[in-house]
């Protein structure tokens, strides 16, 4: 059953990707891979990578400024900044704290680490704050720079990831006397840490501190295990969140999924019995941007008109942990 409000309405979106484009041909020129393999197995054609000297908090600030402008709000209007990221500028302080200063905010700021599911986790946290009356205007940014954490010579991971940031402004809105409520209708987050070893950056933390981490500092992944769990878990959590909102797949106008592999999206569409034309896709041009992929796709959908007022939007993601989640919103 849907709660009685206030609802968390997403009222402004923004996105930032670095200028530098790395194509499949660039990889094929120096690794044992090909444009055909990468396109056929993943759907990716190119991705963006941060410039030397650029850091994750720079991308957060750029995406956040765009979202604030779209929401017609100023920095002083924001009560809290939440950044979903696994690739902060440094282990401490948080990426959100660094970005807070760059944005000229004076509100609380903290990171959420749920890898590629970070945006859904951040959304669940923000929705809890807003529904509980703690904050009424929250900036939520998903940002990742996995190009800095892959082994550039490992063809099985280097070709998959790109850098970027996407932002949304979430505001409290009372249920309207006329018409159905707008905003987040239901949200679910899940985790199963027994798969921690299937996708990880083992070095750089307390287990393998940076000075001793060596090769452990690069991302490692068992792609097949992640793939099969991605399809199953995304389908299950999407069905569960729709059920919680009193809806079915037929009610969904637009799906904004985490973008890891086009074949995962095709399999998800088959399981949910939904047409792939309802998906917002950025994977072909941006690769897997981890916590940024959903908010970047939201921004693309809003600016292109694929998402418009009144649409029912399903957002779902899965990442390292495993962590996964879904949310359904009326735009
Ligand atoms: O964001 C959430 C986390 N990530 C994901 O959701 C990713 C999920 N997994 C996947 O997207 C896919 O599993 C991959 C794209 C990572 C790999 O595709 P796959 O069809 O599962 O390939 P595979 O790992 O089973 O490897 C098949 C072959 C292997 O060669 P052999 O052992 O059969 O000789 C790999 O070494 O493809 C080889 N391979 C490549 N060949 C050319 C792996 N990467 C490449 C490459 N170019 N870039």
């Amino acid at each position: 059953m849907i709660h009685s409000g206030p609802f968390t309405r997403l009222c402004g979106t923004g996105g930032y990707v670095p200028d530098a484009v790395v194509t499949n041909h660039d990889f094929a020129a120096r690794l044992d891979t090909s444009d055909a393999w990468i396109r056929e197995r993943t759907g990716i054609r190119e991705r963006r990578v941060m410039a030397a000297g650029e850091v994750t908090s720079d991308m957060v600030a750029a995406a956040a400024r765009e979202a604030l402008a779209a929401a017609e709000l100023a920095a002083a209007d924001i009560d809290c900044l939440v950044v979903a990221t696994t690739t902060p500028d440094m282990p401490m302080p948080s990426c959100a704290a660094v970005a807070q200063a760059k944005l000229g905010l004076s509100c609380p700021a903290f990171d959420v680490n749920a890898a590629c599911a970070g945006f859904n986790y951040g959304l669940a946290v923000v929705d809890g704050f807003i529904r509980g009356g703690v904050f009424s205007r929250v900036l939520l940014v998903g940002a990742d720079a996995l190009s800095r954490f892959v082994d550039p010579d490992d063809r099985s991971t280097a070709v998959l990831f790109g850098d970027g940031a996407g932002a949304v402004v979430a505001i409290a809105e009372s249920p309207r006397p006329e018409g159905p409520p707008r905003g987040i209708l239901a949200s679910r987050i899940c985790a199963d840490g027994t798969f921690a070893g299937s996708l990880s950056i083992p070095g750089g933390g307390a287990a393998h501190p940076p000075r001793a981490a060596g090769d452990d500092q690069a991302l490692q992944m068992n792609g097949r295990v992640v793939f099969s769990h991605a399809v199953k878990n995304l389908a299950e959590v999407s069905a569960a969140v729709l059920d919680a909102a009193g809806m079915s797949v037929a009610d969904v106008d637009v799906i904004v999924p985490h973008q890891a592999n086009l074949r995962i999206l095709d399999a998800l569409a088959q399981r949910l019995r939904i047409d792939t034309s309802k998906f917002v896709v950025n994977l072909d041009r941006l690769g897997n941007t981890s916590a940024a992929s959903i908010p970047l796709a939201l921004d693309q959908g809003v600016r292109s008109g694929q998402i418009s007022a009144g649409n029912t939007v399903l957002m779902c993601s899965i990442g390292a942990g495993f962590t996964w989640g879904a949310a359904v919103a009326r735009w």
Side-chain angles (χ1 to χ4, degrees):
M1 180 156 137
I2 295 178
H3 64 97
S4 55
F7 284 84
T8 302
R9 187 158 76 85
L10 306 181
C11 71
T13 63
Y16 171 83
V17 291
D19 291 334
V21 176
V22 178
T23 68
N24 293 346
H25 299 287
D26 295 330
F27 280 109
R30 59 175 194 84
L31 292 179
D32 181 14
T33 188
S34 65
D35 173 53
W37 192 97
I38 301 170
R39 267 191 296 108
E40 283 160 23
R41 304 307 292 169
T42 72
I44 300 167
R45 284 188 286 115
E46 59 188 43
R47 67 291 288 146
R48 302 296 184 97
V49 298
M50 290 197 303
E54 198 172 15
V55 287
T56 308
S57 60
D58 294 329
M59 300 198 296
V60 169
R65 283 190 195 101
E66 238 189 50
L68 283 172
E72 299 181 354
L73 290 174
D77 297 321
I78 296 301
D79 300 332
C80 182
L81 169 66
V82 179
V83 176
T85 187
T86 323
T87 52
D89 299 0
M90 57 195 100
M92 179 176 87
S94 68
C95 188
V98 179
Q100 186 242 32
K102 289 182 179 174
L103 285 162
L105 301 172
S106 52
C107 59
F110 64 93
D111 288 357
V112 168
N113 177 343
C116 300
F119 187 77
N120 272 108
Y121 265 69
L123 203 57
V125 168
V126 169
D127 190 38
F129 276 152
I130 289 183
R131 282 170 54 179
V134 180
F135 299 120
S136 56
R137 294 189 189 113
V138 183
L139 246 175
L140 170 61
V141 188
D144 267 311
L146 278 163
S147 74
R148 297 264 167 96
F149 293 83
V150 288
D151 174 352
D153 296 325
D154 176 5
R155 67 176 184 176
S156 67
T157 53
V159 304
L160 303 176
F161 297 96
D163 303 339
V168 295
V169 176
I171 61 166
E173 184 171 282
S174 303
R176 298 176 298 164
E178 80 299 338
R182 293 185 299 191
I184 306 293
L185 304 176
S187 176
R188 288 280 180 281
I189 47 175
C190 317
D192 182 352
T194 60
F195 288 95
S198 297
L199 174 50
S200 64
I201 300 171
H208 303 276
R211 268 171 295 172
D215 289 347
D216 279 351
Q217 306 212 36
L219 182 144
Q220 300 173 7
M221 178 168 73
N222 182 333
R224 286 184 196 180
V225 172
V226 180
F227 192 110
S228 61
H229 281 81
V231 175
K232 177 177 171 290
N233 292 352
L234 289 175
E236 283 176 6
V237 76
S238 296
V241 83
L242 286 170
D243 194 46
M247 293 177 150
S248 74
V249 172
D251 297 312
V252 176
D253 298 303
V254 186
I255 300 198
V256 184
H258 168 54
Q259 324 256 324
N261 188 319
L262 211 52
R263 290 186 295 131
I264 293 177
L265 302 192
D266 287 340
L268 177 64
Q270 266 184 16
R271 283 220 185 187
L272 292 178
R273 297 176 195 280
I274 195 162
D275 200 279
T276 49
S277 63
K278 291 194 172 181
F279 285 60
V280 182
V281 176
N282 61 27
L283 171 83
D284 52 334
R285 290 168 293 107
L286 303 181
N288 179 346
T289 52
S290 190
S293 79
I294 289 181
L296 277 168
L298 283 175
D299 187 50
Q300 174 185 324
V302 168
R303 288 175 197 272
S304 69
Q306 192 176 351
I307 299 173
S308 53
N311 279 170
T312 298
V313 179
L314 174 69
M315 297 160 267
C316 56
S317 55
I318 181 163
F322 293 140
T323 51
W324 65 100
V328 61
R330 187 173 292 107
W331 211 260

